[in-house]
Amino acid sequence: MKELEVSKKYGIELSESQLEAFESYYSLLIEWNNKFNLTAITDRQGVAEKHFLDSLLGAKHFHGKICDVGSGAGFPALPLAIFNPSLSVFMIDSLNKRVNFLNEVCAKLNLQGKALHFTAEEASSPKQLRESFDVVTARAVAPMDILPELTAPLVKVGGSLVLYKGQPSPEDEQGAKDAEKYGCTYQGKEEFVLPDGSKRTIYLFKKIKHTPNQYPRKGLRKKGKK
């Protein structure tokens, strides 16, 4: 996928086989998007830069067993899996159609990935995936005053939380600092500008102690944080 060669400007080197994998991913994305809505961005340049490249910006922070919460069309998990085949990638999503799409991409591209039908709250049950992952991520899933609560319970003590957001706001900064109550320390953020000028931010956290059992609270996204 030649449109993704712009990644070199961000210090991300992709092999020919990886570019071919992204081409296949794009084809599957468009094919499935014609059946049901996966993304509003469908042009090659837009997908390459706003989805694929955007997902890869935090690649250096991922290792081992990772979980992408609310994976949707697979961002950032699938681009990360293409870039680093050593990752064991789990994707959770609340819609079965998206889960089926994600599993088909993994099968077609021979990626070490698996999609599961869960909400973040369901996945965080001690009987499911609570504190099971080295790195947990999410992209464009919820506001920062909610996002750490939804994702931190899935991270192992000693693991990391890597959260993708757009342009930072004062509310995002406060939400990041409040992550302490979920057992995480805020390590700071990395900021990027995509080729079209849009701004991206990656918030970084370290899990230093167990998340209290009451988190995440039920109905969090419906009620908002109190």
Side-chain angles (χ1 to χ4, degrees):
M1 189 176 201
K2 60 180 178 58
E3 290 85 357
L4 198 47
E5 291 177 355
V6 68
S7 66
K8 294 177 182 177
K9 296 181 180 179
Y10 295 81
I12 300 167
E13 294 285 343
L14 297 171
S15 67
E16 284 300 319
S17 62
Q18 287 171 329
L19 291 172
E20 289 173 6
F22 277 109
E23 185 69 53
S24 297
Y25 184 7
Y26 175 75
S27 296
L28 287 166
L29 178 67
I30 298 306
E31 177 187 336
W32 279 69
N33 205 61
N34 289 330
K35 303 174 187 176
F36 67 98
N37 184 45
L38 284 168
T39 174
I41 300 171
T42 56
D43 65 287
R44 292 179 61 87
Q45 196 76 28
V47 171
E49 295 178 1
K50 294 184 178 181
H51 285 327
F52 295 165
L53 173 61
D54 183 30
S55 297
L56 292 172
L57 292 175
K60 67 182 179 182
H61 300 294
F62 291 86
H63 60 91
K65 186 179 179 182
I66 77 169
C67 181
D68 182 8
V69 175
S71 195
F75 312 121
L78 292 180
L80 292 169
I82 291 171
F83 181 69
N84 183 358
S86 71
L87 295 176
S88 177
V89 176
F90 287 78
M91 297 161 283
I92 63 173
D93 199 274
S94 60
L95 187 63
N96 260 322
K97 290 180 180 179
R98 290 195 290 255
V99 170
N100 292 338
F101 166 73
L102 297 171
N103 282 323
E104 174 155 330
V105 175
C106 289
K108 291 284 181 68
L109 301 185
N110 295 314
L111 300 176
Q112 195 178 181
K114 182 177 183 180
L116 303 167
H117 184 220
F118 281 125
T119 64
E121 294 88 341
E122 291 167 345
S124 294
S125 165
K127 295 180 181 179
Q128 299 297 343
L129 302 171
R130 193 176 187 89
E131 297 192 335
S132 296
F133 300 95
D134 298 303
V135 187
V136 173
T137 189
R139 177 179 177 266
V141 168
M144 189 58 78
D145 64 341
I146 294 174
L147 196 53
E149 182 173 347
L150 288 172
T151 53
L154 293 163
V155 187
K156 293 177 180 177
V157 174
S160 303
L161 195 55
V162 181
L163 302 178
Y164 288 65
K165 298 287 288 181
Q167 186 168 350
S169 68
E171 292 78 14
D172 287 335
E173 287 294 307
Q174 187 57 53
K177 292 173 183 175
D178 287 346
E180 288 185 5
K181 68 179 70 173
Y182 315 120
C184 294
T185 58
Y186 177 39
Q187 304 285 293
K189 64 181 184 290
E190 296 178 347
E191 297 179 87
F192 303 90
V193 178
L194 294 180
D196 72 342
S198 56
K199 296 182 180 179
R200 295 291 189 269
T201 310
I202 297 176
Y203 288 87
L204 305 169
F205 305 81
K206 192 76 174 177
K207 181 83 171 274
I208 59 170
K209 58 184 179 181
H210 295 292
T211 303
N213 290 334
Q214 68 262 36
Y215 300 121
R217 292 165 291 167
K218 292 181 179 179
L220 180 65
R221 280 177 278 193
K222 292 180 181 178
K223 297 175 183 177
K225 187 173 178 181
K226 302 297 184 184

